[in-house]
Amino acid sequence: MDWTFVLLIVYSGSVIWYYDVIRYHDVIRYYEELYFYIWVLGLDELPAYILPNIHSIADTSPLPSPDTYPPLNHSVDSLRILRLLPGSSGLSCQLESTSFGEYPRYRALSYEWGSDNRTLPILINGVQTRVGKNLWEALYHLRDPREERVLWVDAICINQHDLAEKAIVVPRMNLIYRRAAEVVIWLGPHPPPEIVNLDRIVWWTFAPPSIDKAYHQEWWHQAVPWLFDLMHANYWTRTWIIQEVGEAVRLTVQFGKQSMPWEAFVAAVATYRKCFPRAFWTDRVSALEGLRRSRREGEIYSFTDLISVFRNSFCKVPHDKIYAFLAMAADDSPNFIPAAYNKTLAQVYKDVMRFLGTSTIDRGVKEVELVHMSALVRRLLTRKTGKTVAVDYKPTSILRQAEPYTYYDHSTPDKDGKTHLQARTAYHKQWYEWAHIRHEQTVIAWLPTAPERLDIWTDIGQVTPQTDLLTAKGIIAGEIESFGPTIESFLTSSDVSKAWQMTIIQQSAGKPSQKSMIALCERLHVVIGQQATSAASIDWIIPLRPNIESTTNSKDLPRLFTGSSGFFGIASPGASVGDRVVQFWGSNAAAIVRKGERRSADGAVDSVVAHGSIVKEGYSHDWDVPKDKDKFAIGHEGSTIRLHLGLNTLTAMTLNSV
């Protein structure tokens, strides 16, 4: 029988799903995989393999309703736990409140939320609700047919509708994962091939194999494509897993009904990387293991360390790019950042900069990184994501069969002692070869960043309070020697551009550095030209004012200038000949400081009069970005300078910078 029909799934008396075009023999073939009670042709079960093709015709919210949650006792550190009831049919759970003082024993689930549009039903405290498909599958595979399982699952145990509750519980999540008896990483229903013996991989934790030994094991050749799929799971790109994996005392990786210890999984990934050195996406797992190992060895991670190392992770709510790292960060600041989801992104940004500006851990390093972090935090808060198709090549093992070949050998000597050449047949041994099959996967990716607007991030016209003065440490690149044309005339008039180039040639005439100065001037043309493709790009290059705390109505545009130590740049209005140009680590933004500057009690300079960017000799066709932190060390005090920057000034100076 091979015919098709329309399938209706009935749950609690109402139609909640439909699936059109299911082949009857396929339903029978996967009959043992139970997911729902259905009513069709007398069958009792729905095959799991068709779940991805099911279309919901009901409410698709992936979160339980607000009425599902028992109240938390906020007078103590409390949490909810989920009791996953035993069974073999639909999922049923009990959600209850407890506190850490009651020493609850539970397993915490670490997983990817997945799409909001694909949800499945579940009973919580006798009330039917819906959760995301990936979470549903995790609970289904974690469920024991005879005993209840006690879990903590963020999507269910936190009332996601209640922002006030999230503000209390989210900072507590590091404790929740640290106190868990086990943290379970769910990578989806991907069981290993039957030939793969997980016990062998577990043994690799203690005795990693050589590459040659791994290559000659048949089961390893079957394990490679499976590991490829596990490591390409979108789970590894999530922001929150960094805390969940980093805080776990005991960690298990689960795939379908099977699992292995985290240490064994890491050993398998390391062996994979040895076999395939260009598999750079294994770095995601390596970075998490590096975090766990460093914390075990007593190293600390500051907020800036975490946000820099894991900057390319994804989350649905932009606030979580900050809140996910706070509890793990070893920072001591009086300006603690509350997990307030009702705040604007500008308010979150200001909270972070005040936090970094007053953190006492590695104070000197914080001052060196401040300007770089200002731009990075804003970029992380506003970066948009989209879906794209990523192409990779999946290693697949091919077994080459034994083939006969002929060779010649001397025969056995006859009675006269003579031998003759004799043809013999032998067989090559079987061997494996790797074929790399094109693999396409829909993934989340960063979209191009839109130009920043100053008014979104700053309070223009307001005087920065003393509490918002932040200290940054920079290095003096040199002084402004002379000014050239405005950026507008340089971009719009070829005569102006050529005239300024001729001026550079005349000024450097007879100097040994003349050729390098001319080449550097050409590079400045390239840098400005590749960024300024429209009139609006002028503001993109230098969207600054001489003093953002007291804006003026000046229509002056940024101007080109030459520097005393062989560099060129552009500066905002307010700069003068003789002003110092100060660069910062990890940033192409430069501050321009007036000679005879005012100094505060701690020795920092207060008189930043303008901003800019410079180009220096080298191979880069972009604005110069200092990358050597050693140059900012105490031993180089002769060329370093500490600046007091108002938060508005800092923001304006780093707008659209790197």
Side-chain angles (χ1 to χ4, degrees):
M1 180 182 295
D2 187 10
W3 49 277
T4 61
F5 54 90
V6 175
L7 174 67
L8 298 180
I9 304 173
V10 179
Y11 192 94
S12 299
S14 61
V15 176
I16 59 171
W17 300 93
Y18 75 92
Y19 183 82
D20 44 355
V21 192
I22 300 178
R23 296 190 179 277
Y24 180 79
H25 69 84
D26 286 338
V27 175
I28 297 299
R29 186 178 59 163
Y30 287 91
Y31 178 76
E32 293 183 355
E33 293 191 39
L34 174 63
Y35 271 76
F36 293 102
Y37 290 116
I38 64 171
W39 175 79
V40 60
L41 298 180
L43 298 179
D44 297 321
E45 300 165 0
L46 177 67
Y49 83 105
I50 70 169
L51 280 178
N53 299 319
I54 293 179
H55 311 283
S56 172
I57 56 174
D59 174 28
T60 59
S61 172
L63 305 174
S65 69
D67 300 333
T68 306
Y69 302 94
L72 290 175
N73 180 7
H74 293 306
S75 63
V76 295
D77 284 352
S78 57
L79 71 161
R80 298 186 186 92
I81 56 175
L82 185 72
R83 297 188 180 276
L84 182 58
L85 302 181
S88 58
S89 57
L91 293 177
S92 182
C93 310
Q94 292 292 327
L95 186 62
E96 61 185 51
S97 299
T98 185
S99 68
F100 289 109
E102 298 178 20
Y103 300 99
R105 184 173 178 82
Y106 58 91
R107 303 166 77 192
L109 184 62
S110 179
Y111 67 105
E112 179 199 5
W113 276 37
S115 172
D116 291 348
N117 298 324
R118 302 170 71 180
T119 62
L120 300 175
I122 184 174
L123 289 178
I124 300 179
N125 294 345
V127 178
Q128 179 184 322
T129 186
R130 309 182 70 79
V131 296
K133 173 182 173 292
N134 191 48
L135 173 55
W136 195 98
E137 289 182 333
L139 296 176
Y140 170 80
H141 287 90
L142 286 170
R143 180 181 56 187
D144 188 279
R146 301 176 186 85
E147 299 179 357
E148 73 174 19
R149 293 286 178 86
V150 183
L151 305 171
W152 188 88
V153 182
D154 57 355
I156 297 177
C157 296
I158 300 177
N159 186 348
Q160 304 291 338
H161 305 276
D162 189 344
L163 296 182
E165 178 180 308
K166 289 180 67 176
I168 296 173
V169 178
V170 166
R172 200 180 291 161
M173 285 179 62
N174 69 317
L175 180 60
I176 291 173
Y177 280 89
R178 191 183 303 164
R179 287 283 301 274
E182 181 181 52
V183 174
V184 179
I185 294 175
W186 169 251
L187 294 182
H190 304 298
E194 291 183 5
I195 194 174
V196 176
N197 187 336
L198 296 182
D199 291 337
R200 296 178 182 175
I201 297 180
V202 172
W203 179 248
W204 285 1
T205 307
F206 312 100
S210 64
I211 297 179
D212 291 339
K213 186 176 181 180
Y215 258 89
H216 291 91
Q217 298 186 50
E218 181 182 357
W219 71 269
W220 172 248
H221 285 259
Q222 300 298 318
V224 162
W226 168 66
L227 285 171
F228 178 94
D229 291 336
L230 293 185
M231 288 184 285
H232 275 73
N234 285 329
Y235 168 86
W236 303 110
T237 66
R238 287 185 56 240
T239 298
W240 277 108
I241 70 165
I242 298 159
Q243 176 176 257
E244 296 163 3
V245 172
E247 295 288 4
V249 175
R250 181 184 177 192
L251 193 59
T252 298
V253 181
Q254 178 126 359
F255 25 81
K257 292 287 186 181
Q258 296 176 272
S259 64
M260 72 170 73
W262 167 259
E263 293 76 14
F265 182 74
V266 170
V269 171
T271 304
Y272 188 107
R273 184 63 179 267
K274 290 178 183 178
C275 294
F276 306 99
R278 298 180 65 183
F280 300 113
W281 30 265
T282 60
D283 292 342
R284 302 168 183 169
V285 178
S286 302
L288 290 170
E289 172 59 16
L291 173 64
R292 288 177 56 80
R293 184 173 58 252
S294 297
R295 289 165 66 85
R296 288 196 304 268
E297 294 172 355
E299 296 183 26
I300 63 172
Y301 275 73
S302 66
F303 177 81
T304 54
D305 294 332
L306 292 169
I307 204 172
S308 297
V309 173
F310 299 104
R311 68 176 69 182
N312 287 321
S313 58
F314 298 100
C315 56
K316 292 186 177 181
V317 181
H319 299 61
D320 286 337
K321 293 294 291 186
I322 304 301
Y323 299 157
F325 299 117
L326 284 177
M328 292 184 66
D331 286 281
D332 180 20
S333 172
N335 292 309
F336 177 75
I337 305 176
Y341 288 90
N342 57 348
K343 284 192 173 184
T344 65
L345 297 183
Q347 291 172 322
V348 175
Y349 162 69
K350 293 175 183 177
D351 285 345
V352 173
M353 298 316 298
R354 293 177 184 126
F355 174 83
L356 296 178
T358 54
S359 174
T360 59
I361 301 296
D362 290 333
R363 181 66 252 154
V365 176
K366 291 288 195 305
E367 292 181 356
V368 171
E369 297 175 341
L370 184 74
V371 172
H372 169 76
M373 292 303 300
S374 173
L376 178 59
V377 169
R378 292 196 312 274
R379 188 159 62 249
L380 294 181
L381 287 173
T382 55
R383 288 172 82 179
K384 305 296 183 183
T385 60
K387 291 185 177 181
T388 186
V389 176
V391 177
D392 203 344
Y393 290 88
K394 185 175 183 177
T396 303
S397 180
I398 298 177
L399 178 63
R400 297 299 185 186
Q401 298 297 331
E403 297 178 357
Y405 67 96
T406 301
Y407 71 97
Y408 291 89
D409 194 6
H410 289 282
S411 62
T412 304
D414 57 18
K415 62 182 179 179
D416 297 327
K418 296 181 179 180
T419 61
H420 306 278
L421 287 177
Q422 182 175 347
R424 299 180 184 276
T425 301
Y427 290 86
H428 291 289
K429 293 182 178 180
Q430 293 181 334
W431 76 97
Y432 287 96
E433 286 184 356
W434 291 110
H436 294 269
I437 309 300
R438 181 183 174 91
H439 173 81
E440 294 185 356
Q441 180 182 4
T442 301
V443 298
I444 300 174
W446 296 115
L447 298 177
T449 304
E452 292 185 282
R453 287 172 42 198
L454 189 59
D455 59 323
I456 294 177
W457 300 104
T458 61
D459 303 318
I460 296 179
Q462 294 186 11
V463 177
T464 299
Q466 283 297 116
T467 54
D468 279 351
L469 286 178
L470 309 174
T471 304
K473 190 174 185 179
I475 190 168
I476 301 173
E479 298 178 358
I480 296 178
E481 279 193 337
S482 64
F483 281 103
T486 65
I487 188 68
E488 182 179 32
S489 59
F490 181 81
L491 290 172
T492 58
S493 172
S494 60
D495 291 339
V496 171
S497 175
K498 291 178 181 178
W500 193 59
Q501 188 173 19
M502 291 303 299
T503 300
I504 298 301
I505 295 174
Q506 294 170 3
Q507 290 178 349
S508 59
K511 296 181 180 180
S513 60
Q514 185 182 36
K515 288 186 177 180
S516 62
M517 293 291 285
I518 296 173
L520 195 58
C521 185
E522 288 291 341
R523 187 181 304 160
L524 181 64
H525 279 68
V526 173
V527 172
I528 296 178
Q530 69 186 3
Q531 296 186 3
T533 56
S534 66
S537 297
I538 296 175
D539 287 336
W540 188 357
I541 297 174
I542 298 290
L544 309 174
R545 295 293 183 268
N547 188 344
I548 196 63
E549 285 91 357
S550 57
T551 57
T552 68
N553 293 322
S554 172
K555 295 183 179 179
D556 291 342
L557 290 172
R559 299 170 65 189
L560 305 180
F561 69 84
T562 60
S564 60
S565 54
F567 60 86
F568 292 98
I570 50 179
S572 65
S576 300
V577 173
D579 287 344
R580 293 177 176 180
V581 179
V582 179
Q583 290 186 279
F584 304 94
W585 175 82
S587 176
N588 59 15
I592 297 176
V593 180
R594 186 69 32 89
K595 276 189 174 182
E597 63 274 0
R598 302 187 308 274
R599 289 184 179 271
S600 59
D602 62 356
V605 176
D606 293 332
S607 53
V608 176
V609 295
H611 320 256
S613 293
I614 66 174
V615 292
K616 289 183 175 180
E617 287 190 73
Y619 298 100
S620 173
H621 289 284
D622 208 338
W623 302 115
D624 187 60
V625 178
K627 297 179 180 179
D628 186 359
K629 279 190 179 180
D630 291 339
K631 291 184 177 180
F632 297 84
I634 297 177
H636 294 77
E637 281 296 335
S639 60
T640 58
I641 185 172
R642 296 172 69 241
L643 303 178
H644 273 168
L645 300 171
L647 185 52
N648 284 348
T649 299
L650 175 64
T651 304
M653 185 173 70
T654 57
L655 211 67
N656 295 303
S657 67
V658 297

